[in-house]
Amino acid sequence: MSLLVGLFDSGLGGLTVLRQVQALYPHSPCLYLGDTARVPYGQRTTEDIRAIASEVVHWLRLQGVGVMVMACNTSNALALDVAVAEAGVPVVGLIDSVASGINSDRIGILATPATAASGAYRRAIHACRPSASVTEIGCPAFVPLIEAGEREAPELRRAAREYLAPLLEACVDTIVLGCTHYPLLRPLLADLLPPDVQLVDPAVAAAQRLGPLLASLGESPEAERIAEPRPADPLRTFYCVTGEAEPFAKAATAWLGRRPNVRTVSLQSPARAF
Ligand code: DGL
């Protein structure tokens, strides 16, 4: 019996977080939810993003997760308080996790329009480094293209040049990939940047933050536990989506290095999915 880690995102992006979690805690079973019926989140209103977060968190809670990782910066930026208030279990966010570890005063943030407009990264970084210059850029073209399976398409390259231009003008030396889909574009972005610009993936810090939490929760008699996942799943992970399972399974295969078993779920259903 092990503690179940719940992770959620609008779609494929959170898999970049899941991979960091799996790398550090290969024995922790995970439940991944991609809200693919509503992707992208990043152009939605704040009210919408908060209402969706509430629904997702309730569903994960119903599934018996013992800790939640917000594998979505947009939800993290606009609805962390909703998740913390409603999860009933500890919640790990990306933005706070990464902010304290950034060791630069010229920082760029690539994020969804909603995250960039929220100023959440700027606030979190200024809380640790008041003198840092933080330039936040909303990148509306990225997520729809990534969800469509693109990684190197000319439209992506054009959009990337446009989004990186103001960061290069601001002479940033560190760029935070402030949307969990963007690590999938790392090779493309690195190709367009001078070699001394560092790309930071907040998932690394979030996964590290999970460690002590898992250790302390593992000892807690109140921690909710589930039966071992089927042995057929070597990484002990359940994959759920709110849209069609097949396109997600196909798109996720390249990133995970194997084809996941994906199940379509209804977040409105009061039943446990497993
Ligand atoms: N991957 C999510 C994020 O980190 C959401 C992207 C979207 O759906 O627009 O912000």
Side-chain angles (χ1 to χ4, degrees), residues 8-14 32 38-44 70-76 94 111-113 115 140 143-144 147 177-182:
F8 71 92
D9 181 40
S10 60
L12 289 169
Y32 183 85
R38 293 185 283 202
V39 66
Y41 282 177
Q43 272 108 303
R44 291 179 178 274
M70 296 184 90
C72 170
N73 289 269
T74 309
S75 309
N76 190 160
L94 296 157
T112 65
T115 301
V143 169
E147 285 287 325
L177 301 172
C179 166
T180 53
H181 283 73
Y182 300 174

Side-chain angles (χ1 to χ4, degrees), residues 239-253:
Y239 297 88
C240 297
V241 291
T242 54
E244 280 181 60
E246 178 54 28
F248 183 89
K250 209 168 150 201
T253 300

Side-chain angles (χ1 to χ4, degrees), residues 53-97:
S54 172
E55 204 173 283
V56 167
V57 161
H58 277 104
W59 184 83
L60 283 173
R61 189 175 176 172
L62 184 67
Q63 307 314 312
V65 305
V67 58
M68 285 187 208
V69 179
M70 296 184 90
C72 170
N73 289 269
T74 309
S75 309
N76 190 160
L78 292 151
L80 177 65
D81 59 324
V82 173
V84 168
E86 300 180 10
V89 296
V91 175
V92 175
L94 296 157
I95 300 174
D96 282 350
S97 296

Side-chain angles (χ1 to χ4, degrees), residues 1-20:
M1 302 283 270
S2 304
L3 195 74
L4 182 65
V5 180
L7 302 97
F8 71 92
D9 181 40
S10 60
L12 289 169
L15 295 178
T16 64
V17 184
L18 176 69
R19 216 166 81 152
Q20 298 292 344

Side-chain angles (χ1 to χ4, degrees), residues 141-235:
F142 279 170
V143 169
L145 286 166
I146 294 169
E147 285 287 325
E150 300 293 352
R151 300 291 181 271
E152 275 287 343
E155 306 97 283
L156 264 180
R157 192 166 276 266
R158 263 197 304 279
R161 279 190 204 284
E162 179 191 326
Y163 302 147
L164 291 175
L167 300 184
L168 293 172
E169 238 166 72
C171 295
V172 304
D173 58 19
T174 299
I175 296 179
V176 177
L177 301 172
C179 166
T180 53
H181 283 73
Y182 300 174
L184 295 163
L185 299 182
R186 189 185 270 271
L188 173 73
L189 296 170
D191 197 37
L192 296 173
L193 287 167
D196 56 336
V197 175
Q198 200 200 347
L199 290 173
V200 175
D201 179 358
V204 175
Q208 281 164 358
R209 186 177 271 193
L210 189 57
L213 213 48
L214 284 177
S216 66
L217 289 169
E219 286 161 20
S220 156
E222 288 86 40
E224 193 161 354
R225 287 156 187 281
I226 61 155
E228 290 288 329
R230 288 152 295 182
D233 179 359
L235 286 176

